[in-house]
Amino acid sequence: MKTLKSRIKICAIACFLPAVFIAGRLFYLQTFRHEELLTKAEKRVYTQTVPDTVRGKILDNKGVVLAESLRTYFVAVSKKNVNKKDALFDVLGQALSVSKAQLNKLWNSKGNFFYVKKEVTPLEYEKLEELINKERVRGIEIEPHYTRIYPYDGIAQDILGATNSRNSGLSGIELMYEDELARRTKSKRVKKARRGGIIYDKEQTEFLDIADVYLTIDSLGQYYAESTLKKYAEEYKVKSAFAIVQDPETGHILAAASYPALDGRSLPLQFVYEPGSTFKTIAVAAALDSGAIKPTDRFSMEDNKWKVDGITIRDHQKKPSLDVKEILEVSSNIGAAKISHGLGARTMYSYIKKFGFGVKSNISFLGEPSGILREHTRWKPIDTAKAGYGYTVAVTGVQLVTAYSAIANGGTLMQAHLIDKIKFANGMEEVLSKPSKVRQAISKKTSDQLKDLLVSVVENGTGKGAKVKGYSVAGKTGTTEKMAQDGKYQRSAHIASFCGFVPAYKPRFTILVVLDEPERALFGAASAKIFSEIAAKFLTLYAVEPDEETR
C-alpha cells in the first residue's frame, strides 16, 4: 500500500513539475523578457509605412487636370519569408513582366530584402494579389505609394514644375503651393499580411487635408502656343524663345510657352531682355497722353544720323521726315529717340512706371524679376533718347504683354494673374484671379489713337506678317542687339519680337512672341508670323467673330 501511495505521489509530482516549470518559464518571459518579446512579435505582425502622401491636383481654367497623384506600389521580396522560390518567381514574372534572369540576378546580388519593381500600376497590383492568393506564396512585400503624373505629356511643364521621389514639390507651381497641395503625415503602424501586402485598419484612415490649384491657363491654348513656338524655334534655330497670351480685360494669362521647356523655368515670366522697338509704342503712348505730340506731328530724320551726347543714332529709311504713324510703321530709331528725348527723362520715366515696368508684376511666380529701370535722375540725354526705342531698360515678357493689354483695353493696367483659385478639401474656394485694376496708365483717347497707329504698322509697316485673315490686328515688331559681357552690343546676336492684340478694336487676346538669337531670322517679322498662327488658333478656340467690317 505504501508502495502504491509512493508511486502515486511520484506521478503527481512528475505531472506537477512540468506545470511548475512552464509557469516559471512564462513568469520569466512575461516579467523579465516582456519588452524584448513584444518588440519581436510586433516586428513580425506590424510594420511602419512610409508616409503615403497624395498631392492635390493642378488644373487649367476649365477644370482639365494637368497634374495629379496616381496610386502605385513598390514590390519587394523578403528572402527569409519565401516558402516557394520557383512559384514566387513565376508569380512576379506573370504579374510584373519581370524575367526569371532578372529575378535570379536580384536574388543572388542583394541581401535579404530587395525591390523587384517600383511604381507598379493598380492593374499590375490586382493581378499580383490574385496570383499570390492562388499560388499561396509568401515573402512578397507590397508598399503603397503615390506617383505624380502629368497627363498631357509635359504641357505647361515649365509652369507646373516637378516633384521628387518623396512627392515633394521641387519647382514651379508644385513648389510654390507645396503647403496647399500636400499635407505631410507621419508614418503609420500597420499589420502585415502573411503572404505580403499590408492590412489597413479603417480607423487609421485620415482625412486628406489637401487642396487643388486651378490656373488661368487654357490647356488647349497652351498646347497650341507650345507646338507653334517649338516648330518655328527649331526652324529658326533659336537659342531660346517664348510666347505669352493674356486676356487684356481680366489680366488672366491664358498661355505661357517656353522653348526649351524646363521644369519650373518659365521664360515669359522670368527672362529679362531689352525690348527694342516694341517699346517705341510706350514712348509714343507717353508723348500722346502727356500732350507733348499729336499723331500728325512730323520729325526730321537728320539725314539718318542724329547725335546725342556725341553718340550717333542711325536709321535705315531714306525719307527726310516722318510723322508719328510713319515712325512706328518703319520702326524709326531716330523718330522714337526724338519723341522720348523731347518728352524728357522725368516724364518718360513716369510713364514707363505707369505701364508697370521696373517692378515685379506680382504674378506670384518663383524667380520673377523686376526687370531693369534706373532712376531718371541717373539718366543722361542719350539714355532718355535710347529708352524711346527700347534700350537702357530691360523688361520681362509678362510686363510687356500687360502693358500692351493696357493699350488694348482702353488704358487700364490690369493685375496679371496665373493662379485662378484654390479649392480646399472642405469645399471652400479662395479665388485669386478677380480682375484688379492697378492704375490708369493712359487715357481712353490715347488708347484709341494708339490702336489706329498699331493697326497701320500691321497693315502697311514692319508687322505685315502678323495679319490674321478676317481680323484686325494691332502690334509692333522689335529687334534688339544683345549686350555681351564686356558691355558692348553684338551685331551677330539679336532678340526678335512682336507684341500685339487681336481683334484690334475689340481685343480678346494680347500676345507677345520673343525669339532669342535666331540664326535664320534676324528681324521681328519672324516673331510676327508666329504671333499670327497663335492668334488664329486662339480666335478659333474661343469662337471670336471676324471683324472685317470694322476694318
Side-chain angles (χ1 to χ4, degrees):
M1 195 68 180
K2 282 184 178 181
T3 305
L4 182 59
K5 286 183 178 180
S6 297
R7 286 178 179 176
I8 291 172
K9 285 181 181 180
I10 291 170
C11 288
I13 292 169
C15 291
F16 183 69
L17 282 174
V20 172
F21 175 77
I22 292 170
R25 182 65 176 168
L26 286 172
F27 177 78
Y28 168 73
L29 293 175
Q30 290 180 1
T31 305
F32 297 100
R33 297 189 63 191
H34 172 76
E35 293 298 329
E36 176 191 346
L37 295 174
L38 182 62
T39 301
K40 285 184 177 180
E42 286 189 340
K43 283 184 177 179
R44 287 179 174 274
V45 179
Y46 295 95
T47 185
Q48 293 291 123
T49 62
V50 222
D52 190 11
T53 307
V54 61
R55 293 176 69 83
K57 298 174 184 177
I58 303 176
L59 309 96
D60 80 346
N61 61 7
K62 292 184 175 66
V64 175
V65 176
L66 301 175
E68 64 180 328
S69 291
L70 176 69
R71 186 64 170 266
T72 59
Y73 303 85
F74 287 9
V75 176
V77 169
S78 176
K79 284 159 51 170
K80 69 179 181 181
N81 296 325
V82 173
N83 59 339
K84 297 183 286 187
K85 181 180 173 183
D86 290 340
L88 178 99
F89 280 18
D90 287 339
V91 166
L92 292 172
Q94 288 182 57
L96 308 181
S97 302
V98 183
S99 68
K100 283 190 176 181
Q102 288 176 284
L103 291 168
N104 267 314
K105 185 178 179 181
L106 288 168
W107 183 280
N108 295 326
S109 63
K110 303 291 182 180
N112 173 63
F113 181 90
F114 62 87
Y115 285 104
V116 176
K117 187 175 181 179
K118 295 183 178 182
E119 296 188 7
V120 171
T121 66
L123 287 176
E124 290 175 318
Y125 167 76
E126 287 178 14
K127 188 174 182 181
L128 179 61
E129 283 282 276
E130 181 185 339
L131 290 171
I132 287 173
N133 293 324
K134 180 180 177 183
E135 301 298 331
R136 303 182 72 81
V137 297
R138 294 197 300 269
I140 296 176
E141 302 277 350
I142 303 173
E143 300 173 6
H145 284 263
Y146 281 99
T147 300
R148 198 64 164 167
I149 64 166
Y150 303 91
Y152 290 94
D153 195 25
I155 292 297
Q157 198 65 51
D158 55 325
I159 296 169
L160 299 176
T163 58
N164 61 17
S165 59
R166 296 185 62 187
N167 238 2
S168 298
L170 282 178
S171 58
I173 301 297
E174 296 279 25
L175 176 58
M176 290 166 56
Y177 288 89
E178 175 71 8
D179 289 342
E180 289 79 8
L181 290 168
R183 288 288 185 267
R184 299 294 154 201
T185 56
K186 295 179 180 179
S187 59
K188 303 177 193 174
R189 194 179 74 154
V190 292
K191 289 182 179 179
K192 292 195 291 188
R194 186 180 178 189
R195 298 189 182 94
I198 293 173
I199 301 170
Y200 286 95
D201 188 342
K202 289 182 180 180
E203 293 180 2
Q204 290 179 317
T205 302
E206 294 183 9
F207 177 70
L208 294 175
D209 185 18
I210 56 176
D212 294 332
V213 176
Y214 289 74
L215 308 182
T216 60
I217 294 292
D218 182 310
S219 57
L220 189 53
Q222 178 75 18
Y223 166 76
Y224 288 146
E226 287 186 11
S227 57
T228 304
L229 185 69
K230 183 175 185 290
K231 178 178 73 173
Y232 285 104
E234 291 176 351
E235 178 182 333
Y236 297 144
K237 293 187 176 297
V238 304
K239 180 180 178 181
S240 63
F242 70 80
I244 182 168
V245 183
Q246 185 179 50
D247 181 333
E249 294 295 330
T250 64
H252 292 181
I253 302 299
L254 302 175
S258 302
Y259 178 88
L262 302 175
D263 295 340
R265 190 193 76 158
S266 176
L267 295 177
L269 309 180
Q270 296 172 325
F271 185 71
V272 177
Y273 70 106
E274 288 182 301
S277 295
T278 54
F279 212 72
K280 289 172 182 173
T281 305
I282 306 302
V284 171
L288 288 172
D289 198 66
S290 64
I293 63 169
K294 298 186 295 293
T296 53
D297 288 350
R298 298 193 71 84
F299 296 83
S300 169
M301 291 299 102
E302 310 291 345
D303 199 24
N304 301 322
K305 294 178 184 179
W306 186 49
K307 279 193 175 184
V308 181
D309 286 346
I311 297 173
T312 302
I313 299 173
R314 301 176 186 275
D315 254 348
H316 52 273
Q317 79 285 325
K318 296 181 179 179
K319 291 186 177 181
S321 67
L322 297 171
D323 63 21
V324 175
K325 179 167 71 75
E326 292 168 331
I327 286 171
L328 290 176
E329 284 178 355
V330 301
S331 199
S332 166
N333 285 347
I334 291 176
K338 282 195 164 188
I339 289 172
S340 181
H341 187 268
L343 196 57
R346 184 171 184 170
T347 304
M348 182 64 182
Y349 176 86
S350 69
Y351 273 93
I352 292 174
K353 294 287 284 186
K354 278 185 180 181
F355 274 108
F357 298 104
V359 294
K360 292 182 180 181
S361 71
N362 288 326
I363 200 168
S364 298
F365 193 83
L366 286 174
E368 183 201 359
S370 58
I372 301 172
L373 179 62
R374 292 181 295 127
E375 286 288 335
H376 68 88
T377 53
R378 297 170 56 195
W379 287 10
K380 298 177 181 177
I382 186 61
D383 294 322
T384 307
K386 291 175 77 172
Y389 56 95
Y391 285 82
T392 73
V393 57
V395 306
T396 63
V398 68
Q399 286 175 338
L400 190 67
V401 81
T402 304
Y404 267 70
S405 284
I407 295 168
N409 68 26
T412 303
L413 185 72
M414 300 296 293
Q415 172 61 51
H417 291 290
L418 180 65
I419 309 301
D420 184 11
K421 63 184 177 182
I422 300 173
K423 190 171 183 178
F424 296 92
N426 61 6
M428 294 287 289
E429 287 187 358
E430 182 182 358
V431 178
L432 302 174
S433 64
K434 186 178 179 181
S436 175
K437 176 180 174 179
V438 179
R439 71 181 67 89
Q440 194 70 24
I442 52 174
S443 69
K444 187 180 183 303
K445 177 184 176 182
T446 304
S447 167
D448 291 340
Q449 290 174 327
L450 283 166
K451 285 178 184 179
D452 289 336
L453 294 172
L454 293 176
V455 166
S456 186
V457 171
V458 175
E459 291 295 318
N460 309 306
T462 58
K464 290 178 181 177
K467 289 181 180 180
V468 180
K469 187 176 181 180
Y471 298 89
S472 58
V473 177
K476 183 72 187 73
T477 53
T479 305
T480 317
E481 291 180 355
K482 290 183 71 175
M483 185 180 288
Q485 290 184 347
D486 61 4
K488 295 180 180 179
Y489 287 96
Q490 309 170 77
R491 291 189 177 183
S492 59
H494 294 77
I495 290 178
S497 60
F498 183 91
C499 193
F501 43 89
V502 60
Y505 297 103
K506 291 184 179 179
R508 290 292 304 277
F509 311 107
T510 308
I511 304 171
L512 169 65
V513 177
V514 175
L515 306 178
D516 181 18
E517 294 189 29
E519 290 184 13
R520 295 182 176 176
L522 293 180
F523 303 107
S527 297
K529 185 177 181 181
I530 301 171
F531 168 98
S532 176
E533 286 202 23
I534 293 175
K537 287 171 180 174
F538 266 85
L539 290 163
T540 301
L541 179 62
Y542 283 78
V544 179
E545 293 185 6
D547 67 336
E548 285 185 322
E549 290 184 6
T550 304
R551 295 174 66 187

